[in-house]
């Protein structure tokens, strides 16, 4: 009898909201890759919106893999021999409004007794449970199955689900998304419509992360599958497989530009340091340094870090030159270049220097020039000394790999052999998510660094037999419930997404997540001049939102009022490469929002009345 | 209004007549000499700026950061001027008699209109009377001046006019004949400031190269005329003080860029950071502290190896390792600053108090035939002296004997050393590490 191991990939799938009711695309499964359309084509610049100009949702696709006797994993679909049916089980919930307030890094190691709750005026367990959005579990099977909605009116009979009051303003929340399957029975999870609303008569957003009376329709939850085999010569006819999770986050407006620290890097750091699953890098509390230690692969471990750096100038106003690299030289292990590599490493903010912007012994600015987890704490007078991390830094594992590289202990050619590198789809999916700074973040916050929530590499431990109502607490030993991963995030997400553009710290302005939330973009060139020269001159960079002249202005590269983001997020443009992979040229496409009057990109509307900033409320 | 009125003369010198005898450049050897002169002028500013820079203790201070950005841009100008020289058939020289000896005037400068340049401990007076005077912008209409110039901008004007004149006279194909042994560099990265060096192959690229230099600092630029906003590197989108009063990305604002105005801000600031109590215009013969003497000796050897390797990086490598990235860059960015910081914390007198001074300072003297082995030997000798005083060693690990020289061009033979082992100097150079 053969030993067959099933698994779901990716371990964590990422869906993203959109207000197109039916059109969607499937999330990218490689770092910096473009999403794909259901028919398999890669999205073009016209595919980010549906026929009516609404923003398409990004579906998270899950596949079932099978490994026989330790062999390489192969996919199992409805078309595979011997498969009778594949039924997927998903349970989405949003617990944001019932959880604690988000206050930068507070709570990562447990909340203090005086840490405020969101909606603290609702005190009874019943009232607090009513703050949870929980449509209950759903399942789906077959090929191209009709959508199974996580909606208010499809809560399974007998399940104690809950939805916020009807008629929230400006947008009602009646669904968290839906399940579909593709032609071969793979699972597609679609998230919410990007609706955020308040139960107050005149909705108002006063804060970036905690707004009482507000809900949004992002969510998260476990994914499992039951496969039925046609004949059971090799074991039980039905196999149940869990271990996967789906997160629903904000749209990815620059899908081809990965974050410097990706969510993969952050969780991989847990795998290495906390779970001890990579003893070749780190074991018994010791890093495997030096010539006999771990040798990173330049192509897969080192080069991507610099490639990400090289793409930031397309989405932030940063000097392109120091962010361009000669990869042949970086990848040359010649010991004569040790000094050169050490010079590069020296610029990168090391562990323990989370509050250092300018290197005290060289005067050089430490990189990345990005806000850290506790940049907000640092920006408030009187709290500077207690800031835990004002500036972003690479993960310990990333820095370790770079140290080995700088010392010349790295492998120039080739990639990490399959099997040790983990599942490539999980890596590819998470490489397109934010791994820091977590204030709170975009998809997941610092809870991603907590080893207690996992029971394997990248595998979030799901609580078995969730029958509802969902709990109000946190018990990772019992497993994570639907909504337990995303509840730390800002409510509504648009508030944080709007405000986390630039961050003043000690007289400097730092950026947050330019790769995920663009700050400055280039406009498409005049069609007359496009590509007539080998390299057309770039026009000026313009603010993605708001104005760019005065860094102290309320609308400096953001909306002056967070409520505008709730209403207008779906009209923003996407940053898209109209050049080639080797000679990229990223411009903003598919934008519907007029530029803010007075901003550099507002060439048309000077002197004309601005279009009212009001979206149609459905 | 005369043109002189446009010029501030902060160093208090009497305004000299703007136009003295000017002989336009009309031969190719003269043109190459003018380009070499431009290199030497840029070169001469660097040790002066560096001495002041290293003497500032707070590396995050506005004065330090402003001066640092200017130094890096001067090095970029040197790179660009070298490319121009190679583009018109020359070979840049950075060693031997070319190395400036301080104190001195800028090479071939008007001694009445330009400052006396020395290696000074930083102060607001030095910023105002020396550095601002070096970087005084030429009036928009100032005439070209190949020698005895009052502003560096005039020197570049003469070079620019000379290139045009020679192209008219001999044709571009005779002027832009690259020296076959030399190699222009566009891949040298110096720091977050600077610019993008262009390869000079014709009149347009030569003029663009000069324009970049002139706009950044020694400008004959109308201050109300914005820098070319489409310039992909350097001018557009670097960080600095903005006209909205904040610090951040510069989206095409010209004022911030001028070295003169950067220095003016420092000179006019209400306060100035602490400096190390170094002697100005140091001489080794004045030092009685053997450790300081050895440290300066090691610095000068390292400085000379750096200059050799920088000079060699403008020659065709012929398969040998690129001496810029293997030697010049680590020396410039790590070993020499480390040593300079150490020297400036060593008192001139054996029993002196380094917090009171006077402390030594690097003398920036060229050592003929210095080799990397000499540098290592000097560091090892220095470590012995430091150990004798209970100070931590600079070399953290025993340094492996240098590899035998490979089949490299002859002038590279002295540069074969592998910088490994020496490169970790810095971590031991923090003031605390020195026990000061």
């Amino acid at each position: 009898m053969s030993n067959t191991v099933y698994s779901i990939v990716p371990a964590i799938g990422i869906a993203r909201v959109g207000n197109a009711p039916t059109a969607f695309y499937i999330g990218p499964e490689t770092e910096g890759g473009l999403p794909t359309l259901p028919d398999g084509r890669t999205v073009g610049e016209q595919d980010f919106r549906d026929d009516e100009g609404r923003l398409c949702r990004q579906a998270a696709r899950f596949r079932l893999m099978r490994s026989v006797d330790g062999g390489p994993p192969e996919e199992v679909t409805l078309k595979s021999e011997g498969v009778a049916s594949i039924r997927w089980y998903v349970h989405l919930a949003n617990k944001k409004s019932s959880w604690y307030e988000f206050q930068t890094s507070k709570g990562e190691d447990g909340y203090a007794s005086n840490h405020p709750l969101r909606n603290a005026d609702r005190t009874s367990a019943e009232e607090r449970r009513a703050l949870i959005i929980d449509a209950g579990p759903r399942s789906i099977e077959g090929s191209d199955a009709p959508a199974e909605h996580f909606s208010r009116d499809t809560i399974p009979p007998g399940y104690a689900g809950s939805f916020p009051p009807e008629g929230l303003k400006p947008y009602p929340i009646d669904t968290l998304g839906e399940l579909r399957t593709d032609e071969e029975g793979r699972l597609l999870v679609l998230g919410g419509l990007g609706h955020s609303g308040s139960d107050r008569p005149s909705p108002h957003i006063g804060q970036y992360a905690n707004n009482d009376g507000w809900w949004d329709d992002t969510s998260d939850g476990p994914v499992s599958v039951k496969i039925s085999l046609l004949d059971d010569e090799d074991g039980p006819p039905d196999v149940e497989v869990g271990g996967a999770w789906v997160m629903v986050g904000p749209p990815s407006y620059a899908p081809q530009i990965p974050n410097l620290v990706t969510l993969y890097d952050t969780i991989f750091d847990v795998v290495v340091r906390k779970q001890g699953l990579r003893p070749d890098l780190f074991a018994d509390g010791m890093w495997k340094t030096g010539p006999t230690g771990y040798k990173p692969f330049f192509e897969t471990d080192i080069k991507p870090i610099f490639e990400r750096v090289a793409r930031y100038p397309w989405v932030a106003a940063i000097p392109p030159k120091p962010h361009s690299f000669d990869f042949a030289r970086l990848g040359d292990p010649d010991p004569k270049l040790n000094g050169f590599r050490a010079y590069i490493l020296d610029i990168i903010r090391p562990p323990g220097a989370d509050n250092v912007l300018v290197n005290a012994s060289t005067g050089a600015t430490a990189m990345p020039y990005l806000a850290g987890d506790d940049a907000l704490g640092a920006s408030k007078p009187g709290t500077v000394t207690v800031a835990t991390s004002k500036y972003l830094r690479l993960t310990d594992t990333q820095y370790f790999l770079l140290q080995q590289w700088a010392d010349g202990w790295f492998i120039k050619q080739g990639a990490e052999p399959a099997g040790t590198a983990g599942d490539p789809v999980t890596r590819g999916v998470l490489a397109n998510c934010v791994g820091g700074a977590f204030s709170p973040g975009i998809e997941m916050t610092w809870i991603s660094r907590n080893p207690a929530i996992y029971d394997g590499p990248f595998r979030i431990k799901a609580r078995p037999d969730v029958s509802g109502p969902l709990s109000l607490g946190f018990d990772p030993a019992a497993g994570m419930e639907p909504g337990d991963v995303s509840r730390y995030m800002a409510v509504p997400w648009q508030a944080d997404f709007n405000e986390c553009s630039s961050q003043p710290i000690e007289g400097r302005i730092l950026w947050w997540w330019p790769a995920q939330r663009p700050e400055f973009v280039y406009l498409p060139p005049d069609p007359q001049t496009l590509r007539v020269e080998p390299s057309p001159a770039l026009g000026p960079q313009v603010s993605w939102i708001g104005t760019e002249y005065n860094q102290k202005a309320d609308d400096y590269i953001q909306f002056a009022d967070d409520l505008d983001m709730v209403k207008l997020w779906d009209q923003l443009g996407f940053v898209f490469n109209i050049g080639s992979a080797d000679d990229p040229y990223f411009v903003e496409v598919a934008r519907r929002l007029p530029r803010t009057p007075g901003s550099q990109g507002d060439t048309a509307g000077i002197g004309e009345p601005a279009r009212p900033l009001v979206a149609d409320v459905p | 209004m005369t043109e002189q009125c446009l010029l501030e003369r902060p160093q208090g010198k009497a305004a000299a007549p703007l136009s003295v005898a000017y002989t336009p450049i009309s031969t190719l050897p003269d043109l190459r000499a003018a380009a070499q002169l431009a290199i030497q002028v840029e070169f001469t500013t660097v040790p002066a700026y560096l001495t002041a820079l290293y003497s500032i203790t707070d590396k995050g201070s506005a004065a330090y950061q402003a001066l640092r950005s200017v130094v890096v841009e001067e090095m970029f100008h040197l790179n660009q001027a070298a490319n121009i020289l190679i583009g018109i058939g020359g070979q840049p020289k950075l060693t031997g008699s070319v190395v400036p000896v301080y104190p001195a005037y800028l090479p071939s400068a008007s001694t009445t209109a330009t400052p006396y340049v020395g290696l000074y401990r930083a102060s607001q007076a030095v910023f105002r009377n020396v550095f601002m005077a070096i970087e005084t912008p030429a009036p928009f209409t100032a005439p070209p001046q190949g020698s005895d110039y009052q502003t560096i901008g005039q020197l570049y004007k003469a070079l620019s006019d000379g290139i045009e004149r020679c192209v008219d006279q001999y044709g571009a194909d005779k002027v832009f004949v690259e020296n076959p042994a030399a190699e222009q560099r566009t891949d040298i990265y110096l720091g977050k400031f600077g610019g993008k060096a262009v390869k000079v192959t014709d009149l347009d690229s030569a003029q663009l190269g000069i324009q970049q230099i002139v706009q950044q600092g020694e400008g004959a630029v109308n201050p109300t005329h914005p820098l070319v906003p489409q310039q992909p590197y350097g001018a557009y989108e670097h960080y600095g003080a903005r006209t909205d009063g904040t610090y951040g990305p510069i989206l095409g604002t010209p004022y911030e860029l001028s070295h003169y105005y950067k220095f003016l801000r420092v000179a006019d600031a209400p306060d100035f950071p602490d400096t190390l109590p170094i002697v100005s215009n140091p001489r080794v013969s004045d030092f009685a502290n053997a450790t300081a003497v050895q440290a300066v000796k090691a610095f000068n050897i390292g400085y000379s190896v750096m200059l050799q390797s920088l000079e060699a990086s403008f020659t065709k490598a012929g398969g040998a390792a690129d001496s810029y990235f293997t030697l010049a860059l680590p020396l410039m960015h790590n070993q020499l600053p480390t040593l300079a910081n150490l020297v400036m914390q060593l008192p001139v007198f054996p029993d002196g108090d380094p917090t009171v001074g006077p402390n030594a300072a690097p003398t920036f003297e060229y050592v003929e035939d210095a080799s990397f082995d000499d540098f290592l030997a000097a560091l090892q000798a220095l470590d012995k002296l430091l150990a004798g005083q209970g100070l931590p060693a600079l070399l953290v690990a025993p340094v492996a004997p240098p590899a035998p020289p490979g089949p490299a061009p002859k002038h590279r033979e002295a540069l074969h050393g592998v910088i490994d082992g020496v490169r970790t100097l810095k971590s031991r150079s923090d003031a605390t590490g020195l026990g000061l």
Side-chain angles (χ1 to χ4, degrees):
Chain A
M1 178 174 151
S2 62
N3 178 19
T4 305
V5 177
Y6 289 88
S7 63
I8 303 172
V9 301
I12 301 174
I14 304 293
R16 299 183 184 280
V17 301
N19 64 345
T22 53
F24 68 93
Y25 47 73
I26 297 160
E29 294 174 352
T30 56
E31 174 170 336
L34 279 169
T36 51
L37 294 165
D39 64 11
R41 283 184 300 124
T42 304
V43 302
E45 58 180 283
Q46 71 288 345
D47 296 321
F48 290 107
R49 299 184 176 281
D50 72 0
D51 294 342
E52 293 182 38
R54 292 170 297 197
L55 198 143
C56 294
R57 279 183 278 182
Q58 171 181 312
R61 176 168 60 190
F62 291 89
R63 307 161 190 260
L64 180 60
M65 307 297 285
R66 171 167 64 188
S67 168
V68 180
D69 292 333
E74 56 181 39
E75 187 175 0
V76 184
T77 69
L78 286 178
K79 293 186 174 169
S80 302
E81 209 175 317
V83 173
S85 69
I86 298 174
R87 177 167 281 274
W88 297 90
Y89 299 84
V90 181
H91 187 169
L92 294 178
N94 175 320
K95 288 184 171 183
K96 286 178 177 181
S97 298
S98 73
W99 192 238
Y100 284 103
E101 286 195 358
F102 184 86
Q103 295 183 357
T104 59
S105 6
K106 286 182 192 165
E108 184 168 0
D109 302 314
Y111 288 97
S113 58
N114 63 348
H115 196 100
L117 289 165
R118 288 174 177 155
N119 296 298
D121 56 331
R122 310 185 197 199
T123 49
S124 73
E126 194 180 335
E127 279 179 308
R128 294 209 65 80
R129 275 199 199 98
L131 292 164
I132 296 175
I133 312 177
D134 176 15
R138 298 286 187 282
S139 70
I140 192 168
E141 73 172 342
S143 67
D144 290 324
E148 282 286 340
H149 290 272
F150 287 91
S151 60
R152 182 193 293 277
D153 45 18
T154 58
I155 296 175
Y159 182 84
S162 56
F163 261 80
E166 292 188 46
L168 297 179
K169 302 277 187 226
Y171 297 98
I173 295 177
D174 297 311
T175 180
L176 291 179
E178 63 202 61
L179 302 182
R180 294 168 183 247
T181 57
D182 72 4
E183 194 188 354
E184 299 190 41
R186 301 182 190 99
L187 173 67
L188 300 168
V189 183
L190 278 68
L193 298 165
H195 286 191
S196 295
S198 161
D199 62 2
R200 309 289 152 89
S202 52
H204 163 74
I205 298 182
Q207 214 246 17
Y208 77 104
N210 310 295
N211 291 286
D212 288 356
W214 277 87
W215 287 265
D216 68 28
D217 63 4
T218 62
S219 61
D220 71 275
V223 175
S224 60
V225 66
K226 184 162 81 181
I227 173 171
S228 301
L229 302 172
L230 279 177
D231 47 50
D232 67 341
E233 49 194 60
D234 266 358
D238 289 351
V239 183
E240 289 182 32
V241 184
W245 207 269
V246 62
M247 306 280 315
V248 180
S252 177
Y253 291 99
Q256 292 156 294
I257 302 186
N259 218 57
L260 176 61
V261 182
T262 71
L263 194 51
Y264 172 82
D265 297 311
T266 301
I267 303 180
F268 184 62
D269 191 55
V270 174
V271 171
V272 171
R273 290 196 300 134
K274 310 274 180 65
Q275 295 180 313
L277 296 173
R278 286 300 299 270
D280 51 333
L281 275 76
F282 180 85
D284 303 327
M286 300 283 286
W287 291 99
K288 302 293 182 183
T289 54
T292 58
Y294 179 76
K295 288 189 178 162
F297 290 83
F298 180 75
E299 291 293 327
T300 53
D301 293 327
I302 305 299
K303 194 178 174 191
I305 296 176
F306 292 102
E307 284 176 331
R308 293 170 196 164
V309 170
R311 297 213 157 172
Y312 270 67
W314 294 102
V315 283
I318 59 174
K321 186 182 168 215
H323 298 93
S324 333
F325 303 100
D326 178 344
F327 287 104
R329 188 170 288 124
L330 289 181
D332 184 352
D334 186 342
K336 285 187 157 73
L337 287 166
N338 280 8
F340 168 65
R341 278 182 259 107
Y343 158 69
I344 304 264
L345 180 69
D346 199 44
I347 294 164
I348 296 168
R349 178 171 297 108
D354 307 43
N355 289 344
V356 176
L357 186 63
V358 176
N359 184 314
S361 62
T362 65
T365 312
M367 290 290 128
Y369 194 84
L370 294 170
D373 288 354
D374 202 12
L376 287 180
S379 68
K380 288 180 194 142
T383 59
V384 174
T385 50
V386 298
T388 50
S389 54
K390 291 185 207 170
Y391 307 107
L392 181 68
R393 70 167 170 88
L394 299 179
T395 68
D396 288 44
T397 302
Q398 279 181 309
Y399 194 81
F400 161 73
L401 297 173
L402 283 175
Q403 275 180 297
Q404 288 291 88
W405 163 78
D407 286 339
W409 314 127
F410 66 98
I411 296 165
K412 186 178 176 178
Q413 300 286 343
E416 201 169 3
T420 57
D423 164 49
V425 176
T426 299
R427 182 174 187 157
V429 166
L430 295 177
N432 296 310
C433 302
V434 168
F438 289 139
S439 181
I442 300 274
E443 296 90 3
M444 239 175 128
T445 189
W446 36 251
I447 191 68
S448 62
R449 295 192 291 232
N450 188 339
I453 70 167
Y454 303 102
D455 64 359
F458 300 95
R459 298 284 175 184
I460 293 174
K461 180 180 182 183
R463 183 172 194 157
D465 303 325
V466 172
S467 55
L470 296 179
S471 96
L472 291 165
F474 174 62
D475 183 5
M480 301 291 276
E481 284 190 356
D484 276 1
V485 181
S486 64
R487 62 180 165 191
Y488 306 88
M489 309 307 291
V491 57
W493 63 265
Q494 288 98 339
D496 184 43
F497 199 77
N498 182 45
E499 287 192 37
C500 282
S501 48
S502 65
Q503 181 63 43
I505 308 178
E506 293 169 354
R508 304 256 191 152
I509 301 274
L510 278 90
W511 315 122
W512 277 103
W513 309 291
Q516 210 77 1
R517 186 257 187 245
E519 323 270 12
F520 292 85
V521 295
Y522 289 97
L523 300 180
D526 182 343
Q528 300 292 320
T529 60
L530 176 61
R531 295 283 147 181
V532 289
E533 293 171 56
S535 174
L538 296 168
Q541 238 178 349
V542 302
S543 55
W544 189 52
I545 311 173
T547 61
E548 61 281 275
Y549 176 68
N550 182 356
Q551 293 194 128
K552 291 177 172 167
D554 287 345
D555 66 347
Y556 176 67
I557 67 168
Q558 65 179 35
F559 293 117
D561 183 347
D562 291 337
L563 203 53
D564 282 340
M565 184 62 93
V566 171
K567 295 172 179 172
L568 301 170
W569 62 274
D570 63 298
Q571 301 188 27
L572 295 166
F574 287 77
V575 177
F576 187 78
N577 186 4
I578 60 167
S580 63
D582 292 335
D583 185 17
Y585 190 3
F586 288 91
V587 296
E588 187 187 37
V589 300
R591 184 187 178 97
R592 295 190 72 210
L593 183 72
R595 299 213 100 82
T596 307
S599 70
Q600 206 161 338
D602 178 42
T603 50
I606 295 172
E608 294 170 20
R611 214 189 83 162
L613 292 180
V614 180
D616 299 329
V617 177
Chain B
M1 189 169 91
T2 64
E3 279 151 356
Q4 285 97 318
C5 297
L6 296 170
L7 279 173
E8 282 190 60
R9 286 283 164 203
Q11 77 277 29
K13 293 205 178 212
L18 269 175
S19 187
V20 293
Y22 165 56
T23 315
I25 299 165
S26 59
T27 70
L28 291 177
D30 283 356
L31 195 60
R32 290 181 197 131
Q36 173 67 31
L37 176 62
I39 293 172
Q40 285 173 236
V41 170
E42 303 293 351
F43 185 179
T44 305
T45 65
V46 173
Y49 289 157
L50 284 180
T51 301
L53 185 74
Y54 294 141
S55 75
I56 297 173
T57 49
D58 180 0
K59 313 297 187 204
S61 61
Y64 184 95
Q65 291 288 320
L67 185 51
R68 183 173 185 269
S69 74
V70 171
V71 175
V72 171
E73 284 175 2
E74 296 298 346
M75 289 299 297
F76 159 63
H77 297 172
L78 193 153
N79 179 184
Q80 185 60 64
N83 280 3
I84 294 171
L85 176 55
I86 294 166
I88 58 174
Q91 172 74 61
K93 193 154 169 47
L94 297 169
T95 56
S97 60
V98 165
V99 180
V101 177
Y102 299 92
Y105 287 97
L106 295 176
S108 302
S110 158
T111 55
T112 52
T114 64
Y116 195 44
V117 180
L119 306 175
Y120 303 114
R121 175 182 178 181
S123 69
Q124 280 178 311
V126 168
F127 271 78
R128 189 182 303 280
N129 289 2
V130 183
F131 298 169
M132 281 171 67
I134 291 174
E135 306 284 356
T136 301
F140 201 48
T141 52
Q145 202 67 58
S147 63
D148 214 22
Y149 54 88
Q150 290 112 47
T151 62
I152 300 177
Q154 290 170 279
L155 179 70
Y156 280 105
K157 236 181 188 180
L159 179 62
S160 171
D161 284 0
I163 292 174
E164 274 179 26
R165 191 178 287 263
C166 288
V167 167
D168 279 351
Q169 210 165 326
Y170 309 109
D173 53 337
K174 294 277 191 304
V175 175
F176 296 103
V177 180
E178 190 171 296
N179 183 336
E183 183 165 46
Q184 299 189 39
R185 301 294 300 244
T186 55
D187 60 343
I188 287 181
Y189 178 62
L190 297 154
K192 64 180 170 176
F193 313 99
K196 175 87 177 136
V198 295
K199 186 169 176 166
V200 173
T201 54
D202 53 21
L203 183 60
D204 284 350
S205 51
Q207 300 289 32
L208 177 61
I210 292 173
Q211 194 189 8
Q212 286 204 63
I213 298 175
V214 165
Q215 281 178 341
Q216 276 191 342
E218 297 83 12
V221 171
N222 180 342
T224 61
H225 188 270
L227 281 173
V228 187
Q230 313 298 359
Q231 192 78 32
Y233 290 104
Y236 189 63
E237 283 174 5
H238 73 286
Y239 282 60
R242 294 159 47 98
T243 46
D244 61 3
T246 59
Y247 183 95
I250 307 294
L251 298 168
T253 313
Y255 298 102
E256 195 276 340
L257 283 183
S258 153
H259 295 177
Y260 179 85
Y261 286 105
K262 282 186 184 175
F263 289 152
L264 182 63
R265 290 175 75 97
V266 175
D268 285 350
D271 51 9
F272 192 78
D274 286 345
T275 51
L276 294 165
I278 60 164
V279 291
S280 289
N281 289 322
R283 282 174 202 279
V284 179
S285 58
D286 293 342
F287 299 166
N289 178 353
T291 312
V293 172
Q294 182 59 34
V296 172
K297 189 178 163 195
F299 180 92
N300 283 338
I301 293 171
Y303 174 61
S304 305
V305 174
M306 188 277 290
L307 291 174
Q308 291 166 13
S309 52
L310 191 59
E311 186 179 274
S313 60
F314 288 100
T315 60
K316 284 223 162 45
D322 180 339
S323 63
Y324 178 78
F325 287 100
T326 56
L327 270 177
L329 176 123
L331 281 164
M332 275 196 289
H333 276 276
N334 186 339
Q335 286 82 35
L336 291 176
T338 302
L339 271 169
N341 275 306
L342 171 70
V343 169
M344 291 184 176
Q345 297 176 65
L346 295 172
V348 163
F349 302 106
D351 297 331
D353 177 343
T355 58
V356 176
N359 290 356
T363 55
F364 290 93
E365 290 171 280
Y366 185 70
V367 181
E368 286 292 344
D369 302 327
S371 73
F372 190 79
D373 289 352
D374 298 342
F375 183 49
L376 273 188
L379 287 173
Q380 276 155 350
L382 177 59
D383 271 355
K384 268 187 200 151
L385 289 168
L386 289 171
Q389 297 183 330
L391 295 174
L394 286 170
L395 296 164
V396 284
V399 177
K410 189 167 187 327
H411 63 272
R412 287 170 182 266
E413 280 177 11
L415 307 174
H416 57 72
V418 175
I419 208 92
D420 197 20
V422 189
R423 70 191 170 78
T424 45
L425 284 188
K426 175 161 41 224
S427 57
R428 297 296 173 94
S429 73
D430 296 342
T432 49
L434 289 169
L436 295 173

